Amino acid sequence: VGVTPRPRLNQEINKFVCTVFNLRTVTTPQMLGEPALEGVHSDGVDHTMTTFLGCDNMTDDSAKTFIHDMRETSGIKFDRARPEWILGEIQHRH
């Protein structure tokens, strides 16, 4: 997969940082679950991989991950993000 390198990042260095964690987001009729409590944020990584293990009771608009332009304000809730600054979205369902 071809990836445009981030500015000022030494792609030739032989050092990598990997983080692994599990995530479960619960939404009820009374509460909208958000996987990232910090809202729109930057993880500071070049690559992110997710593994889909399964789902129950998901709707067509739930459990989406969005990629935002760096101009977006960090820390805002997902529903306040500017649509024109959403560069991509993915939803695991099948």
Side-chain angles (χ1 to χ4, degrees):
V1 174
V3 177
T4 303
R6 286 175 43 199
R8 298 181 303 278
L9 183 67
N10 183 356
Q11 297 286 335
E12 303 301 319
I13 196 165
N14 189 17
K15 294 181 180 179
F16 300 95
V17 176
C18 296
T19 303
V20 178
F21 63 94
N22 65 336
L23 177 68
R24 181 177 181 180
T25 303
V26 178
T27 297
T28 69
Q30 296 78 30
M31 176 190 68
L32 175 63
E34 292 190 60
L37 296 177
E38 62 269 45
V40 173
H41 65 283
S42 176
D43 287 331
V45 299
D46 288 311
H47 300 46
T48 300
M49 181 182 84
T50 60
T51 303
F52 179 66
L53 298 176
C55 65
D56 291 317
N57 301 322
M58 280 179 56
T59 63
D60 290 338
D61 62 347
S62 66
K64 289 186 176 182
T65 297
F66 296 92
I67 306 298
H68 299 270
D69 188 283
M70 290 298 292
R71 293 174 289 178
E72 187 56 89
T73 303
S74 289
I76 63 172
K77 295 277 190 186
F78 77 95
D79 58 349
R80 292 187 51 219
R82 297 179 192 198
E84 65 270 21
W85 285 352
I86 295 176
L87 304 177
E89 71 179 71
I90 186 71
Q91 179 192 43
H92 294 302
R93 287 186 53 91
H94 307 289

